Amino acid sequence: QVQLVESGGGLVQAGGSLRLSCAASGRTFSRYAMGWFRQAPGKEREFVAAISWSGGPTYYAGSVKGRFTISRDNAKNTMYLQANSLKREDTAVYYCAARNAVVATTTTNYDYWGQGTQVTVSS
């Protein structure tokens, strides 16, 4: 079992930056692939970024590639999402997710989810 808690969301102007964190409980965090997803009002939850258990291979949605960076610190049981050059269309609730398997980019492949943190980008 893994419990996930996101933090770091907030209100930011377009062009600004935020750093989201996902703190995980459990001794086996380092064995889990992790991902960030987001859901805007009236839209389905969508993939943002994912990272392997080792922090090696990373994957990004085309809409955030070059602006967002996913990383993890297994010693701290924490995953991060550095979001730069934010746009209004990045406004959403951001969720972190974990799976005890190889990294994946679809919501249905993840077993554990946090409660989400709101990111609002104003113009």
Side-chain angles (χ1 to χ4, degrees):
Q1 282 274 347
V2 176
Q3 292 184 327
L4 305 172
V5 179
E6 303 94 336
S7 63
L11 175 64
V12 63
Q13 287 190 331
S17 299
L18 283 175
R19 189 193 196 200
L20 307 184
S21 298
C22 173
S25 65
R27 296 176 296 174
T28 58
F29 172 77
S30 61
R31 293 162 54 182
Y32 285 78
M34 304 288 295
W36 285 100
F37 294 79
R38 67 187 182 186
Q39 188 166 17
K43 295 187 177 181
E44 292 189 352
R45 193 169 298 188
E46 66 175 6
F47 168 72
V48 175
I51 189 167
S52 68
W53 66 270
S54 67
T58 56
Y59 303 86
Y60 296 93
S63 59
V64 306
K65 197 169 187 179
R67 300 187 297 121
F68 291 12
T69 302
I70 189 171
S71 62
R72 66 189 295 165
D73 185 339
N74 287 342
K76 295 182 178 180
N77 279 14
T78 304
M79 176 180 66
Y80 305 97
L81 184 70
Q82 178 67 42
N84 298 330
S85 302
L86 283 160
K87 305 175 181 180
R88 287 194 65 184
E89 51 263 43
D90 295 318
T91 295
V93 177
Y94 283 69
Y95 298 90
C96 67
R99 69 190 303 253
N100 190 7
V102 298
V103 65
T105 60
T106 56
T107 58
T108 55
N109 283 320
Y110 283 83
D111 304 308
Y112 304 100
W113 292 85
Q115 293 300 307
T117 185
Q118 175 72 46
V119 171
T120 303
V121 184
S122 64
S123 59

